[in-house]
Amino acid sequence: MINLIEKLQSGDRLEASECFKLYDLDLFTLGKFANLKRQKLHGKKAFFNLNRHINPTNICADVCKFCAFSSHRKNPNPYIMSHDEIMQIVEKSVENGAKEIHIVSAHNPNTSWQWYLEIFKKIKEIYPNLHVKALTAAEVDFLSRHHGLSYDEVIDKMIEYGVDSMPGGGAEIFDEDIRAKICKGKVGSKNWLEIHKKWHERGRLSNATMLFGHIEEPKHRIDHMLRIRDLQDMTNGFNAFIPLVYQKDNNFIKVSKFMGSVEILKTMAISRLVLDNVPHIKAYWATSTINLAMVAQEFGADDLDGTIQKESIQSAAGAKSASGMDMRNFIDLIRSSGLTPVERDSMYNEIKVY
Ligand code: V47
């Protein structure tokens, strides 16, 4: 342990074998070193953006056991939005100040690939400066398999139709055994990484998530982070890493012990320490609660995601995020935590320091 602490003090990159020992350290030791790294990169800044999440359909060909959003026997309310409906939401969101639209759908087998992609063109025609963050690697994989397109073809179409960046969804946990238990049939780990690699190779940026607090163990989280770190060494295309805290309601994973705040904060801190090449660690308040997301800013995280306006995926599973967050509240909470609220764009350029 002394060697590991010396290594953390040096600030040098941790070897994989050292990363696997990090969970043995206590929260405050991890927090101290993660905060040093965070302060070195971002000082006291806590980033957020003005965004809107839109989930155009919940009808899904896949059956992920953690998902309470897709329509299934515990949530029998299938829907699919028309492009007109989506455009109305976009219009309202822009009126409310959104600068980014984050569009993620279930894998709906009853639609064409055009239904997935043409909406981006429609948005960009009217709002050329609105950032479109859309299509997870899981959706890319679904579109490829369902419509007989290669990954390259889907990705080139995304660019042609106006997608600016890719969200980090669908990564879940890369370990193949755990993945088979929680989301069998969905995009495999290697393919998730391959899709992001192809996206990065076209000069585009994306995020990476990790779903934790279900049946995985700490070693699986470290393995997940290391696979992200390896790809980032090659492409430098990840903007942010987002550890998503598992929400337990209305889904099909039986979890006997739920994750407490200490383990959540340790995971945030460890993310900062392992992912020395990813610029931002996002404490996504929708899954961690807003107060813990604020505390996480002192344990390695530097970003909170945004005001969201409406959230359907995590709130279906119990998170208190259904109606987003008021910008004033956001700013006041960041300030009262002793941090500097920084509104950013989707590429982390600073728009306004409050
Ligand atoms: O991949 C599904 C997760 C993700 C549950 O890129 C759940 O900036 C917790 O990826 N408990 C989609 N999480 C959302 C996502 C995301 C969110 C915010 C920002 C960004 C970004 C990306 O939601 C899925 C899945 O891991 N999810 N069910 C649940 N029960």
Side-chain angles (χ1 to χ4, degrees), residues 1-8 14-27 29-30 33 217-223 225-226 229 263 266-267 269-271 273-274:
M1 237 12 107
I2 295 168
N3 285 349
L4 182 55
I5 295 198
E6 279 170 3
K7 188 68 179 280
L8 286 167
L14 299 168
E15 303 293 328
S17 58
E18 294 167 327
C19 295
F20 281 101
K21 291 188 192 132
L22 285 169
Y23 274 99
D24 296 338
L25 296 176
D26 66 275
L27 173 62
T29 305
L30 289 167
F33 290 112
E217 293 168 33
K219 65 178 181 193
H220 301 122
R221 294 177 217 146
I222 300 292
D223 166 69
M225 292 174 204
L226 288 171
R229 189 171 85 173
E263 191 75 359
K266 275 180 121 176
T267 303
I270 289 172
S271 306
L273 294 169
V274 174

Side-chain angles (χ1 to χ4, degrees), residues 51 53 55 64-69 100 102 104 133 136 138 166-172 186 192 206-212 240 242 244-249 251 282 284 286-287 303 305 308 311 313-314 316-319 344 348:
N51 63 349
H53 286 204
N55 306 112
C64 299
K65 289 195 176 155
F66 50 79
C67 185
F69 164 68
E100 171 190 287
H102 178 164
V104 168
K133 178 159 86 178
T136 65
M166 273 179 73
E172 322 312 356
K186 179 157 133 174
W192 189 98
S206 66
N207 291 334
T209 56
M210 173 180 77
L211 183 66
F212 72 110
I242 313 162
L244 297 168
V245 183
Y246 173 64
Q247 311 292 303
K248 61 179 175 45
D249 293 349
N251 51 21
K282 187 185 286 193
Y284 181 48
T287 66
D303 187 72
D305 200 74
I308 299 177
E311 197 286 312
I313 299 180
Q314 277 83 19
R344 59 163 175 86
Y348 286 86

Side-chain angles (χ1 to χ4, degrees), residues 335-346:
R335 273 218 189 97
S336 64
S337 307
L339 296 157
T340 310
V342 179
E343 186 198 331
R344 59 163 175 86
D345 70 11
S346 306

